[in-house]
Amino acid sequence: MLTAQRPAQWQRRADRGWHPTRMVVGGFAGAVVVGTGLLSLPLATESGRQAHLVDALFTATSAVCVTGLVTVDTGSYWSWFGEAVILLLIQAGGLGIMTLATLFTVLLSQRLGVRAKFLAQAETKALDLAGLRRLVRNIVLFSLVSEAVAAAVLTARLALAYDEPFGQALYHGVFHAISAFNNAGFSPYPDNLMRFVTDPLVSVTVCAAIIIGGLGFPVVFELLREWRKPRGWSVLTRITLAVTGALLALGTVVFTLVEWANPRTFGALGPDDRWLAGFFASAQTRTAGFNSVDIGAMRPESLLASDVLMFIGGGSAGTAGGIKVTTFGLLALVIWAEMRGDQHVNVGYRRAPTANHRQALSVALLGVGAVVAATFTMLSVTRFELDVVLFEVVSAFGTVGLSTGITARLPIPADLALVALMFLGRLGPLTFATALALRDRRRRFAYPEERTIVG
């Protein structure tokens, strides 16, 4: 009898080894290790000296997790080889390690096994396995086309309006297009994008790439197919568009009004340029991380608003981080339904299942816990004030990359804490927890129900 049971036990153990979410975590960890090794080579730095291991690890994690936080200046510290490595890590992290692996499997073998399908499903958040090969292909093609369009616009602008040599303009255009679409926020310019604060073409192009990449591939593809039939949009698309639009508009108004008279940020700009800078700042908190003004000079109200927006993040299955706008929107609808006394949470002509409520609550609370724990750790090992530490922590968790300027001055323990937080923020608290759980636990019984006092 023991002999008959042993193969089944071995099969269950083997299944645990390739659990989709665990493989996604392993894939991203492997990319970080490879990136750290490449950036540790003397060839990767301008000076020709080997980079400090913590700087290489921090930069590789920030690139793979499409964050944008840096401990050293990207343009002056890293060589062309180092910047190329960073760019490849951003692209790989944006598309997803498992998505790329699935694409390579398709190209090499023209067959897609069951395990490969599950891996791609875990990374792309596909709701079913049908047509997954076409889905992965469309994701890659859409990403490359979007980046190419943004790169073309930026290259032309830099060459014609800023007199950059064509080769340099092309490099900067491609670099910023990939960084923007993947919501990374890396820039080879020492002042990031502050020199373009009054340039609507550069600002809007970068913001458009950020927003499109941050919406999430399921939403983008559904809009391309069903843009004329909004009544047939899915719950995911409805929530993503509504919350994204609302937060972008709210952030633009808040940043513009709060910083309107601040001479160190928007105060020196014209009225139209102030609104442009406000919109740019609002778009960056969707987890992109570029800045057109000095973040460290912003008022405390703007930093707090940024904390909230960065924590929420962008769309599911996209290049953005945070707890995602779907999580925030679904929790808001749950609260609204509870206040109205409704038994169900309805979105348009659809009803959100109870399992989604629990998932949204779990993601939000795990995110809060991660931010609180990291903030406490950072305060313990640094002497910075709470507002700037919290900003840095939320920026890392939301894979945003915005900074008040303290990243390069943090001690090694704080850098390592941010590395862990960026990794957690990119994969998602629930995905990370599921990867460690190995399998779902199902009980064949239920305890008697008993209500408790809430509030």
Side-chain angles (χ1 to χ4, degrees):
M1 185 172 182
L2 292 176
T3 304
Q5 291 180 344
R6 188 170 299 173
Q9 295 174 352
W10 287 351
Q11 182 63 38
R12 287 194 296 269
R13 292 177 182 176
D15 290 343
R16 291 179 180 181
W18 68 271
H19 190 287
T21 51
R22 165 171 279 197
M23 295 299 289
V24 170
V25 172
F28 273 87
V32 170
V33 172
V34 172
T36 302
L38 292 175
L39 292 177
S40 297
L41 298 175
L43 180 63
T45 64
E46 285 285 1
S47 64
R49 300 177 181 178
Q50 185 175 2
H52 193 283
L53 180 60
V54 174
D55 291 331
L57 173 63
F58 193 99
T59 304
T61 305
S62 183
V64 172
C65 299
V66 291
T67 304
L69 288 175
V70 293
T71 55
V72 293
D73 180 63
T74 302
S76 61
Y77 186 84
W78 302 110
S79 66
W80 65 267
F81 176 79
E83 291 182 10
V85 170
I86 292 172
L87 207 58
L88 290 175
L89 293 176
I90 291 172
Q91 187 73 84
L95 288 176
I97 301 301
M98 293 302 109
T99 304
L100 290 176
T102 303
L103 175 66
F104 294 151
T105 301
V106 173
L107 294 178
L108 293 176
S109 66
Q110 297 300 316
R111 295 181 60 187
L112 196 61
V114 175
R115 292 189 178 187
K117 289 183 178 181
F118 274 110
L119 295 180
Q121 183 192 30
E123 174 57 27
T124 61
K125 306 296 188 299
L127 300 181
D128 57 62
L129 298 179
L132 191 56
R133 180 165 60 178
R134 182 176 58 186
L135 170 65
V136 174
R137 181 194 63 196
N138 290 342
I139 287 175
V140 176
L141 289 177
F142 178 78
S143 300
L144 296 179
V145 170
S146 299
E147 292 168 355
V149 172
V153 175
L154 293 176
T155 299
R157 185 62 173 173
L158 294 175
L160 298 177
Y162 295 91
D163 297 326
E164 289 192 9
F166 179 76
Q168 180 178 333
L170 177 62
Y171 173 73
H172 285 161
V174 171
F175 194 103
H176 287 97
I178 294 177
S179 185
F181 181 80
N182 291 287
N183 281 217
F186 278 88
S187 174
Y189 293 124
D191 61 349
N192 205 275
L193 297 183
M194 292 176 61
R195 65 187 65 186
F196 306 111
V197 62
T198 60
D199 190 324
L201 186 58
V202 172
S203 296
V204 172
T205 299
V206 170
C207 290
I210 291 167
I211 294 170
I212 293 174
L215 282 177
F217 298 115
V219 174
V220 171
F221 291 163
E222 183 173 353
L223 289 177
L224 292 176
R225 293 191 312 266
E226 307 289 341
W227 65 275
R228 293 183 178 180
K229 303 175 182 178
R231 291 175 61 89
W233 289 352
S234 66
V235 172
L236 172 65
T237 297
R238 289 173 181 269
I239 294 179
T240 300
L241 292 180
V243 178
T244 298
L247 293 180
L248 279 172
L250 180 62
T252 300
V253 173
V254 170
F255 287 126
T256 303
L257 295 183
V258 171
E259 299 295 329
W260 187 273
N262 186 349
R264 300 174 61 191
T265 55
F266 294 8
L269 305 175
D272 293 340
D273 293 333
R274 294 179 191 181
W275 283 105
L276 176 63
F279 172 72
F280 189 88
S282 181
Q284 303 318 302
T285 56
R286 315 313 306 143
T287 79
F290 293 108
N291 62 283
S292 61
V293 296
D294 183 8
I295 300 298
M298 281 187 163
R299 300 188 188 279
E301 299 92 325
S302 296
L303 296 182
L304 179 59
S306 298
D307 290 339
V308 175
L309 294 174
M310 291 189 299
F311 183 77
I312 296 173
S316 298
T319 56
I323 64 171
K324 302 297 190 298
V325 293
T326 45
T327 301
F328 176 80
L330 186 57
L331 289 177
L333 290 172
V334 169
I335 295 174
W336 178 247
E338 189 66 25
M339 293 175 62
R340 289 168 52 92
D342 296 336
Q343 294 183 348
H344 304 294
V345 176
N346 300 320
V347 184
Y349 299 96
R350 301 289 191 275
R351 176 167 57 89
T354 306
N356 278 165
H357 307 173
R358 295 196 302 267
Q359 291 169 358
L361 183 62
S362 299
V363 169
L365 291 181
L366 285 172
V368 170
V371 168
V372 171
T375 302
F376 183 86
T377 302
M378 295 272 288
L379 289 173
S380 301
V381 299
T382 66
R383 296 183 177 181
F384 294 109
E385 298 295 330
L386 173 61
D387 56 346
V388 295
V389 170
L390 179 62
F391 187 94
E392 206 81 7
V393 167
V394 177
S395 180
F397 172 78
T399 68
V400 181
L402 292 174
S403 176
T404 56
I406 69 172
T407 311
R409 295 181 287 161
L410 294 175
I412 291 179
D415 286 337
L416 297 178
L418 290 182
V419 165
L421 199 60
M422 288 187 291
F423 193 80
L424 174 64
R426 174 63 180 101
L427 298 177
L430 193 60
T431 301
F432 198 92
T434 305
L436 299 178
L438 297 178
R439 65 176 183 178
D440 296 329
R441 296 182 59 188
R442 296 184 179 181
R443 297 184 181 273
R444 299 183 181 276
F445 61 91
Y447 292 109
E449 185 179 272
E450 179 181 345
R451 291 183 177 273
T452 185
I453 298 176
V454 177

